[in-house]
Amino acid sequence: MNIAQHLSTHDIKPSYQRIKIYEYLYEKMNHPTVDLIYKNLVGEIPTLSKTTVYNTLKLFIDKGITSTVTIEDNEVRYDAIMDAHGHFKCTSCGAIYDIKYDFKDVAMNELKGFEVKETQVHVKGKCNQCLTNKN
Amino acid sequence: MNIAQHLSTHDIKPSYQRIKIYEYLYEKMNHPTVDLIYKNLVGEIPTLSKTTVYNTLKLFIDKGITSTVTIEDNEVRYDAIMDAHGHFKCTSCGAIYDIKYDFKDVAMNELKGFEVKETQVHVKGKCNQCLTNKN
DNA sequence: ATTTATATTTGTAACGATTACAAATTTATG
DNA sequence: CATAAATTTGTAATCGTTACAAATATAAAT
């Protein structure tokens, strides 16, 4: 995957910071917060500003190559995977798993006559690892 | 529904403020924000403090008679309906609709071996009213 | 090339929602 | 009625996010 080209295709000029931020999102797939992105890149880009991370993510969202994930009320996370999918967050270890769901199964009866643009499915609980380790 | 009794049953002493806050949640069913609750009750309870609203909602959540709904990243809403259900938010008029969904249809294949405690389904788009009115 | 314009990044200050905390008030207990 | 405990309140602190203007980098024009 050529990131610069991917950005260009979506009408985003591929600056150094933008490439690095998208690269982090896309390769780590860890649904990071702004703070996590900043902390992981500031070593490599010492002049990086948190404002740039905010600006860049907002731009990515506007251009449709990033989405937000808000499982916990107080933390916004970001995701470069744009296919419809849900998230499971383990309340014990904090890990976030991507889960597939069948879009048409989710309440579509109730929404006849409505125009659906976006669906988010969030599940919380304990992951199998934490269950076997009794965390 | 006797609210004082409902609170007592859940180990919450039914103070005046708590009763009024729960009553608002339960009767309006409008998924209000803290601010909306405060603004709607301060007329009737002039000494009411926003901190009390926060404290009270946190208590309700701890005791399991209220849940949070975070459809938009930047606003937490509260709901006294505890049955599993999802929410549709109209991006045009802002109204929030409750929607039913079949729990077992939502990605349960993927979560074998996981312990599911909580599921949230959020859908955004335009409601039928706004579509016919071309809002 | 050099200047000029435009876009991007950066740092600081401002903002708003939430929380911490201690004083004031209310309710329960002896 | 006095004392203790619980609840409410107001203020200040905190944290994530945004506004804004200066600084820097990139592109376009001469």
Side-chain angles (χ1 to χ4, degrees):
Chain A
M1 143 84 127
N2 182 333
I3 290 176
Q5 197 173 334
H6 183 61
L7 298 182
S8 294
T9 304
H10 289 86
D11 196 24
I12 298 167
K13 287 193 189 159
S15 74
Y16 180 59
Q17 286 86 340
R18 289 170 178 173
I19 289 173
K20 284 294 174 189
I21 290 170
Y22 192 81
E23 186 179 80
Y24 181 82
L25 266 184
Y26 186 78
E27 291 184 353
K28 293 291 174 86
M29 300 237 289
N30 57 351
H31 311 84
T33 59
V34 163
D35 204 56
L36 193 63
I37 296 170
Y38 175 78
K39 287 198 173 114
N40 270 275
L41 292 179
V42 75
E44 199 176 353
I45 314 169
T47 63
L48 184 65
S49 162
K50 224 177 233 184
T51 302
T52 300
V53 181
Y54 279 106
N55 289 343
T56 302
L57 290 169
K58 183 173 290 186
L59 179 67
F60 287 174
I61 290 166
D62 282 354
K63 301 299 184 182
I65 63 169
T66 298
S67 63
T68 61
V69 182
T70 309
I71 303 179
E72 304 290 344
D73 293 339
N74 53 355
E75 57 177 31
V76 181
R77 295 172 171 278
Y78 296 85
D79 193 346
I81 310 293
M82 297 301 288
D83 305 335
H85 68 284
H87 297 96
F88 176 93
K89 176 164 181 175
C90 177
T91 53
S92 187
C93 68
I96 295 176
Y97 296 79
D98 288 314
I99 54 181
K100 288 177 208 149
Y101 61 87
D102 196 340
F103 186 73
K104 66 182 181 310
D105 283 341
V106 179
M108 290 309 114
N109 281 347
E110 299 252 341
L111 293 174
K112 271 179 190 151
F114 285 51
E115 182 185 280
V116 171
K117 283 192 192 132
E118 195 190 323
T119 305
Q120 293 217 30
V121 173
H122 300 320
V123 182
K124 281 195 243 182
K126 282 198 181 184
C127 69
N128 51 4
Q129 272 200 325
C130 282
L131 285 172
T132 54
N133 298 343
K134 290 177 182 159
N135 287 344
Chain B
M1 142 85 127
N2 182 333
I3 290 176
Q5 197 172 334
H6 182 61
L7 298 182
S8 295
T9 303
H10 290 84
D11 196 25
I12 298 166
K13 287 193 188 158
S15 73
Y16 180 60
Q17 287 86 339
R18 289 170 179 174
I19 290 173
K20 284 294 175 191
I21 290 170
Y22 193 82
E23 185 179 83
Y24 181 81
L25 266 184
Y26 187 78
E27 292 184 352
K28 293 291 175 84
M29 300 236 290
N30 56 350
H31 312 84
T33 59
V34 163
D35 205 56
L36 193 63
I37 297 170
Y38 175 79
K39 286 199 173 112
N40 270 276
L41 292 179
V42 74
E44 199 176 353
I45 315 169
T47 64
L48 184 66
S49 161
K50 223 177 234 185
T51 302
T52 300
V53 181
Y54 278 106
N55 290 342
T56 302
L57 290 170
K58 183 173 290 187
L59 181 66
F60 287 175
I61 290 166
D62 281 354
K63 300 299 184 182
I65 63 169
T66 297
S67 63
T68 59
V69 182
T70 310
I71 303 179
E72 304 290 345
D73 293 339
N74 54 355
E75 59 178 28
V76 181
R77 294 171 171 278
Y78 296 85
D79 192 346
I81 309 295
M82 297 300 288
D83 307 335
H85 68 284
H87 298 95
F88 176 92
K89 176 163 182 176
C90 177
T91 52
S92 185
C93 68
I96 295 176
Y97 296 78
D98 288 314
I99 53 181
K100 288 177 207 148
Y101 61 87
D102 197 340
F103 187 73
K104 65 183 181 311
D105 282 342
V106 179
M108 290 308 114
N109 281 347
E110 300 253 341
L111 294 173
K112 272 179 189 149
F114 285 51
E115 183 185 280
V116 171
K117 282 193 191 131
E118 195 190 322
T119 305
Q120 292 217 32
V121 174
H122 301 318
V123 183
K124 281 195 243 182
K126 282 198 180 184
C127 70
N128 51 5
Q129 273 199 326
C130 283
L131 285 172
T132 53
N133 299 343
K134 290 178 181 159
N135 288 343

